[in-house]
Amino acid sequence: MASDLSLLDLVLHASFVVQMVLLVLLVASVMSWTMILDRARVLAKARKAADAFEDRFWSGGDLTALYKELSQDEKGNQGLAAIFRAGFKEYVRLRKIEGNDMMAVLQGADRSMRVVLSRDMDRLETNLAFLATVGSTSPYVGLFGTVWGIMQSFHALGNVEQATLALVAPGISEALIATAIGLFAAIPAVIAYNRFANQVERLNNRYEEFMEEFSTLLQRQGRD
C-alpha cells in the first residue's frame, strides 16, 4: 500500500492533463529558483557597491579626480557610481557653455542622473515580474490539475457497480499532488518577490537621497 501511494507512483499514474500541469509547475519552480539566486546575487552586489562608493565619495576627496578614476572603467560603473558619473559629466559640460545659469546646469545634471537611475532600476527589477506571476498563478494552475483529476476519478465510478473509497482514493491522491506542487512553486516565489521588491525600493530611495545631496553639493561648488 505504501508503494502504491508513493509520490513517484502517484505522478506516473496520474492522467495526462495532470502530468502536464505538474510538468509546467516543475519548470516554473526551477526557473523561479534560478532567478531567485540570480537576484539575490545582483542585489547583494548592488548594496556592497553602494556602500563602497559612498565611502569614497564622502571621504572628502576631489570630485574631478573621482570622476576621472571612474571613467577609466565605464562598463564597470553601476548604481551610485554611474549616477555620479552621469551627473558630474553633464554638470561640467553645461558649465563650459556660456550663458547657462546655475539652475539650468543643475537641472541638466539632474536629468542625466535620473536617466541612469531609471536604467539601473530596470536592471535591478529584472525577473521580479516573473516571480510575481509564478507566485500568483501557480496555486490556481495546481488547483486546475486537482479539479481535473478528481473529475476523472468520479467519472470512472460510473463504470463500476459498487463505489468504494479504495477505488477513488488513488485518483484523488494523484490529483492533490498538483495542488501541493503548485504551492511548492508559489510560496518561494512570493517570499522572494516581496523581499527583493523591498530591497529594490530601499536602493531606489538611497539613490534618490544621494542625487539630492550631490545636487546640493554641486550648487555650492558652483557658487564658489
Side-chain angles (χ1 to χ4, degrees), residues 140-214:
Y140 297 104
V141 175
L143 182 61
F144 166 76
T146 296
V147 171
W148 183 273
I150 292 176
M151 286 173 54
Q152 294 296 103
S153 296
F154 281 107
H155 179 72
L157 292 179
N159 300 324
V160 298
E161 295 181 357
Q162 184 177 3
T164 63
L165 182 60
L167 291 175
V168 298
I172 293 177
S173 299
E174 294 164 3
L176 290 175
I177 291 295
T179 297
I181 299 300
L183 293 175
F184 176 79
I187 291 174
V190 170
I191 294 175
Y193 171 79
N194 291 332
R195 179 177 177 83
F196 294 155
N198 177 261
Q199 292 180 1
V200 171
E201 181 64 24
R202 292 175 63 180
L203 281 170
N204 182 72
N205 293 337
R206 187 173 181 179
Y207 292 172
E208 291 272 5
E209 291 175 0
F210 170 79
M211 288 168 56
E212 293 179 3
E213 294 172 346
F214 184 41

Side-chain angles (χ1 to χ4, degrees), residues 67 81-91 108-109 112-113 116 214:
Y67 171 78
I83 291 173
F84 165 78
R85 280 193 66 256
F88 192 78
K89 180 179 180 180
E90 187 67 7
Y91 172 80
S112 296
M113 288 189 290
V116 176
F214 184 41

Side-chain angles (χ1 to χ4, degrees), residues 12 42 50 52 95 99-100 114 126-127 136 166 174 205:
L12 293 177
V42 170
R95 286 274 289 177
N100 278 343
R114 291 198 175 277
T126 300
N127 296 329
S136 61
E174 294 164 3
N205 293 337

